[in-house]
Amino acid sequence: VVGVDAFEDFALDLQYRFDHVAPYSALPAIKHAFALGISTKDNSSTYMDGLAKMHISCCMDNGWCGAMHRNYDRRGSDHLCKIVRMRLGLL
């Protein structure tokens, strides 16, 4: 099983889930997550800074997400932004 995300923190989160969170961890398969950008064009690159700002601001509970992730943390829930919030010192 291969998982790909353009952002390293989200790829790390996916690998953690593959290794430690049911039902993914129980799958009898080799599982790897990669931080890569995939495009419809070969040998091309694009700027993803706008998208990165949007994701980081959401994980910081700013912008369009409101306090969603802070509420997840308070409940002890696992969520997509956990590694981002840990790196930002919010957890």
Side-chain angles (χ1 to χ4, degrees):
V1 177
V2 174
V4 179
D5 199 292
F7 300 106
E8 181 182 17
D9 285 344
F10 297 138
L12 290 170
D13 179 76
L14 182 57
Q15 186 65 54
Y16 176 84
R17 291 170 190 279
F18 279 163
D19 295 339
H20 303 287
V21 179
Y24 315 107
S25 60
L27 293 172
I30 297 171
K31 301 165 286 254
H32 293 289
F34 298 95
L36 297 169
I38 297 177
S39 175
T40 57
K41 293 167 46 176
D42 289 339
N43 301 318
S44 65
S45 62
T46 185
Y47 292 102
M48 298 185 68
D49 53 344
L51 189 57
K53 285 179 186 177
M54 183 177 71
H55 281 294
I56 291 171
S57 69
C58 177
C59 291
M60 291 172 57
D61 294 323
N62 295 326
W64 62 277
C65 287
M68 179 172 64
H69 295 99
R70 184 178 323 130
N71 293 334
Y72 290 154
D73 294 338
R74 212 175 281 131
R75 290 190 313 222
S77 298
D78 190 24
H79 58 84
L80 176 69
C81 285
K82 192 164 240 174
I83 290 178
V84 176
R85 292 176 64 75
M86 288 168 68
R87 285 190 193 228
L88 292 170
L90 299 172
L91 283 178

